Amino acid sequence: MIGDGMGVTQISAGMYSSDKQLNLERFPVIGLHKSYSADNLITDSAAGATAFSAGVKTYNGAIGVDMDTMPVTTILEMAESAGMPTGLVATSSIVHATPASFYAHVKLRKEYEEIAADLMETDIDIFIGGGAKYFERREMDTRNLSDEMRSRGSEVASFVDTKLKDIKVKKAKRIAYYTADSEPLPYSQGRDYLVDATEIAMNFLDQRDSLDKGFFLMVEGSQIDWGGHSNNSDYIISEVLEFDRAIGAALNFAQQDGETLVIVTADHETGGYAINTGSVRGQIEGAFTSDYHTADLIPVFAYGPGAEQFSGIFENTAIFDKMKLLYGFARR
């Protein structure tokens, strides 16, 4: 679970704005990762997510490729090769940098239609996020990728014609659900699907795990970052609190299941966010040093089998290495 742009202050602001304990406070293991990319002390989401997904430091803007622009195998692709069901959930478009870095291999993060085409090369079982236009009204070719998914037996739906809770999960072979034509709205403007999407994805993947090998799911609280870029405390806080509720859903699943590892982190901090004098609980006086990312160390929270692997201070690429080890892929 990735809270894009979520540093310690973003978490603190959410904590001091909530009338109850955050779900993040339930984690027994906490570490810190070094977020820098291969070409800059300040990473972007593309390089940051590629470090998590494939274990390589690469240049800012790179999606699933190394410094030489060569494709690198991701943890999602490894899980698919091992026969595990996989999924992605995001409050951005599904072709945005973070989710894209788990399945696509392109030189630049803005190549959204190329990224959408790369999704067709995977066997992903469920994805929920925005970006329908990059699949259905493409400028680079005449393909309708949603129709192609339907021809392969996928259940394809969108917020326009089907509520998320109404998708036929039990009957579906695979699920593609578009939450927006382009980018979804902020939570404060009515978007509220992240908790439901997380629960639906976990349960669907668990049901699909017929070989009892486990599954891989990446969930992104994408717009915490956008609040940082906007230097907007209220935007940050509302997104952190929604993301925390999704974390709670994942923790509840893991506690009941007993076999699921939940990892929560961020790719970088955004905004150089600080809580200033005059702040009180429920009313944060925030200040910013930047409208871009910073090089802060980033917290990592872990719960479940193997959680102890995530304590201490380590490179962001180590998150991939630890997941790979715990899945058993490192021994294959």
Side-chain angles (χ1 to χ4, degrees), residues 100-300:
S101 295
F102 284 84
Y103 65 85
H105 306 280
V106 301
K107 295 178 182 178
L108 295 172
R109 58 181 290 175
K110 297 295 186 181
E111 296 174 350
Y112 295 133
E113 292 188 1
E114 290 86 345
I115 290 169
D118 274 5
L119 185 60
M120 303 300 294
E121 302 303 315
T122 75
D123 292 321
I124 192 165
D125 294 85
I126 183 169
F127 72 80
I128 302 171
K133 69 178 185 179
Y134 303 112
F135 293 81
E136 298 177 351
R137 299 189 311 283
R138 297 163 59 81
E139 296 178 2
M140 67 177 291
D141 55 39
T142 59
R143 296 172 69 185
N144 185 313
L145 303 185
S146 293
D147 285 346
E148 291 181 25
M149 284 186 273
R150 290 186 183 96
S151 71
R152 299 178 186 180
S154 294
E155 181 85 10
V156 182
S158 77
F159 71 103
V160 173
D161 51 24
T162 307
K163 291 182 179 180
L164 183 58
K165 289 184 176 181
D166 292 338
I167 58 176
K168 299 180 178 67
V169 174
K170 291 184 178 179
K171 296 181 179 180
K173 179 179 179 182
R174 292 189 175 90
I175 296 171
Y177 186 90
Y178 300 118
T179 59
D181 191 51
S182 182
E183 298 298 336
L185 293 170
Y187 178 81
S188 62
Q189 295 179 27
R191 187 210 76 237
D192 64 352
Y193 64 79
L194 185 58
V195 178
D196 289 342
T198 301
E199 291 176 340
I200 287 168
M202 288 186 300
N203 290 323
F204 181 70
L205 294 174
D206 191 42
Q207 293 165 12
R208 296 275 290 166
D209 181 25
S210 59
L211 300 178
D212 199 28
K213 291 185 175 183
F215 62 81
F216 175 81
L217 173 66
M218 192 288 296
V219 176
E220 185 191 29
S222 316
Q223 296 193 35
I224 301 167
D225 173 64
W226 302 358
H229 285 297
S230 299
N231 286 181
N232 186 325
S233 284
D234 290 342
Y235 193 173
I236 290 169
I237 291 165
S238 63
E239 296 293 333
V240 166
L241 293 178
E242 185 201 26
F243 183 53
D244 186 71
R245 290 191 289 274
I247 291 167
L251 279 174
N252 293 343
F253 178 94
Q255 286 177 334
Q256 182 176 0
D257 176 71
E259 298 178 341
T260 299
L261 172 65
V262 180
I263 307 158
V264 181
T265 190
D267 42 5
H268 51 71
E269 192 276 342
T270 304
Y273 188 35
I275 298 174
N276 276 2
T277 300
S279 297
V280 296
R281 287 185 178 272
Q283 188 171 345
I284 299 300
E285 297 293 332
F288 299 87
T289 64
S290 171
D291 61 3
Y292 193 60
H293 311 155
T294 68
D296 286 3
L297 291 174
I298 299 299
V300 183

